[in-house]
Amino acid sequence: MNRAPDAAPMTPSDLLTFLFRRGGQEYAVQLVSPQSKPSKAKPSKKPPAAPTIQEQPLYRLILRGEEVQATGPSGQTRQLSRQAFLEVFGAYHFAGAEPTGVLSDLGPLFGAG
């Protein structure tokens, strides 16, 4: 997945807003690891590490009405309320949101298609 080097990772809330504006269209996003927390025992002189993109899993997401349909790297699909999505992915960021070309059956209701 290609992503612009200067594009900032999206928070889960930002991603929901992004998906809401494009309701019914599936996007592939890369999960970005959360920031590591500095140890309390040894204060570090280095600034905290920014979220990094490594070989992180890809998720396919579609906003379907009030729920997010999330398909994980294993291929398992779950329907999550927006609140459940924020609870599950709250510690992460997402990068590289790219349309997959798949529309949900609700796509025409959102003007997509």
Side-chain angles (χ1 to χ4, degrees), residues 48-106:
T52 59
I53 297 178
Q54 299 170 4
E55 289 299 317
Q56 298 297 328
L58 291 176
Y59 284 82
R60 294 187 336 259
L61 305 171
I62 299 176
L63 189 66
R64 301 184 78 231
E66 291 299 314
E67 293 191 331
V68 178
Q69 178 176 301
T71 303
S74 69
Q76 187 174 29
T77 300
R78 304 244 183 207
Q79 300 292 331
L80 301 169
S81 69
R82 292 179 187 209
Q83 184 60 38
F85 181 84
L86 293 173
E87 289 171 9
V88 170
F89 294 105
Y92 295 91
H93 286 81
F94 296 90
E98 294 183 14
T100 65
V102 174
L103 295 177
S104 76
D105 54 345
L106 299 177

Side-chain angles (χ1 to χ4, degrees), residues 29 35 57 63:
V29 295
Q35 287 185 300
L63 189 66

Side-chain angles (χ1 to χ4, degrees), residues 3 11 25 27 30 32 42 44-45 53 57 61-63 66 84 86 97 100 113:
R3 138 177 141 72
T11 66
Q25 185 171 7
Y27 280 81
Q30 188 173 28
V32 179
K42 296 181 193 176
S44 175
K45 294 181 182 180
I53 297 178
L61 305 171
I62 299 176
L63 189 66
E66 291 299 314
L86 293 173
T100 65

